Amino acid sequence: MASTTTGTEKPFKVGYVLLDTQYPIQFLDVGPIDIFSGLDVRMRPPAPDSYIVLCRVYWAACHQPEEVASKGLTCEFHYINETGQGMVKMTAGAKIAVTDSLTSCPPLDILLIGGPEPDHHPSPSIHTFLKSQLPNLHAILTICTGIWPLLHLHTAHPDLFPGLKKATGPRPLLPMLRSQFPGLEFVDKRFVRDDIIYGHGEGEDKGKGGREKEDEKKKLSIWSSGGVTNGQDMIAAFMREFWGGPEVGNEGRRGAVEAALGMVEVGDRGEDY
């Protein structure tokens, strides 16, 4: 477990799947997850070497008021592979420590999938892992060629993401995506969001009159990005969308989101190139 919390707030759990690929994972593919850590500045006792200390120091140096920082998150990060062990090789000679296996990882709020080689087919255990995570997940975010393993799973198991209609990927590889997955629309944008609604089919017996209850539906947002650095644009758009609405609990959090994005200078370039 990469970060821990004290107090009563439920931590927001962010996971990153480190696929068993033939080549090292591109370091930039993992980098966008760090944008979430900029929000982890809630006032709680951190470990002396915690990155939370760095976040607080940076927020103070940027003259961010405490009332803004108080709307941050309590985050928990999980780096997941098949075994839950070892150091995974990255490009540029970097390595990242694994924190969880596919079976030991707790229920996540969001899951990121970075880009393997385009011909990578995920193992059956990845399918089992994703299926087990679906009840709690709010979103899956794929970065660069990370869309491929998700779509290979979608092709093999159509019930995993029913109704998936559109996605994107690296611009030079869009023709390949259209050729391999002709049933989907691939749009030339920095990032794309498509919502999957899980629930019983219309007209199924769900009680009086056969009407489906809204609280028995489940929504999963699938975000995909273009080239690797568009993953940052996607994460910024997701944060603004997820915490920028009028829902209960979001009061004032949009200000913390904009402060965190502003301090790392991730702007609002929008989905269009």
Side-chain angles (χ1 to χ4, degrees):
M1 189 177 296
S3 64
T4 58
T5 63
T6 60
T8 59
E9 184 186 33
K10 180 182 177 182
F12 187 78
K13 296 185 174 73
V14 183
Y16 194 104
V17 174
L18 299 162
L19 296 167
D20 185 14
T21 60
Q22 181 179 357
Y23 305 102
I25 298 172
Q26 189 166 4
F27 204 6
L28 286 172
D29 277 2
V30 182
I33 195 175
D34 193 40
I35 299 174
F36 289 106
S37 72
L39 275 176
D40 198 0
V41 291
R42 297 294 289 269
M43 294 297 106
R44 64 188 191 279
D49 60 347
S50 171
Y51 69 89
I52 301 168
V53 175
L54 174 61
C55 290
R56 291 182 189 173
V57 169
Y58 196 54
W59 275 61
C62 293
H63 305 290
Q64 294 293 340
E66 170 56 27
E67 57 266 27
V68 176
S70 68
K71 297 297 183 180
L73 296 172
T74 301
C75 294
E76 189 175 287
F77 295 93
H78 299 266
Y79 297 91
I80 311 145
N81 73 356
E82 299 259 355
T83 65
Q85 299 176 350
M87 303 287 290
V88 175
K89 291 182 179 180
M90 306 271 137
T91 55
K95 295 180 181 179
I96 191 165
V98 175
T99 63
D100 301 86
S101 72
L102 296 176
T103 55
S104 70
C105 183
L108 300 169
D109 291 293
I110 61 171
L111 179 67
L112 282 70
I113 304 176
E117 54 272 17
D119 60 353
H120 176 81
H121 286 255
S123 68
S125 56
I126 296 291
H127 169 248
T128 302
F129 167 72
L130 281 177
K131 195 169 183 178
S132 71
Q133 288 287 336
L134 284 180
N136 198 67
L137 276 180
H138 298 293
I140 297 175
L141 300 99
T142 70
I143 299 168
C144 196
T145 55
I147 189 63
W148 256 274
L150 185 139
L151 293 182
H152 284 310
L153 287 172
H154 175 61
T155 300
H157 308 278
D159 61 330
L160 192 61
F161 307 116
L164 182 65
K165 297 180 177 65
K166 61 182 179 179
T168 192
R171 300 184 88 180
L173 301 181
L174 286 176
M176 184 187 300
L177 283 166
R178 291 172 181 137
S179 174
Q180 291 183 1
F181 307 101
L184 296 175
E185 176 188 5
F186 293 96
V187 293
D188 185 19
K189 293 183 180 294
R190 287 193 178 96
F191 54 85
V192 170
R193 169 187 170 181
D194 198 8
D195 290 338
I196 307 298
I197 305 297
Y198 297 91
H200 293 271
E202 189 176 18
E204 287 192 24
D205 185 10
K206 293 299 295 174
K208 294 182 179 180
R211 296 179 63 182
E212 184 177 356
K213 299 176 183 178
E214 285 298 317
D215 61 1
E216 290 172 340
K217 291 183 178 180
K218 151 79 177 173
K219 183 175 78 171
L220 173 72
S221 296
I222 294 182
W223 294 68
S224 51
S225 81
V228 58
T229 55
N230 294 135
Q232 297 182 71
D233 299 306
M234 177 184 67
I235 296 297
F238 168 81
M239 291 169 67
R240 291 184 171 109
E241 177 73 23
F242 193 75
W243 289 296
E247 293 82 3
V248 174
N250 274 356
E251 297 88 352
R253 187 150 282 171
R254 178 64 183 260
V257 167
E258 291 299 335
L261 294 175
M263 285 187 291
V264 294
E265 298 190 46
V266 179
D268 186 6
R269 295 201 298 176
E271 63 182 2
D272 295 321
Y273 287 110

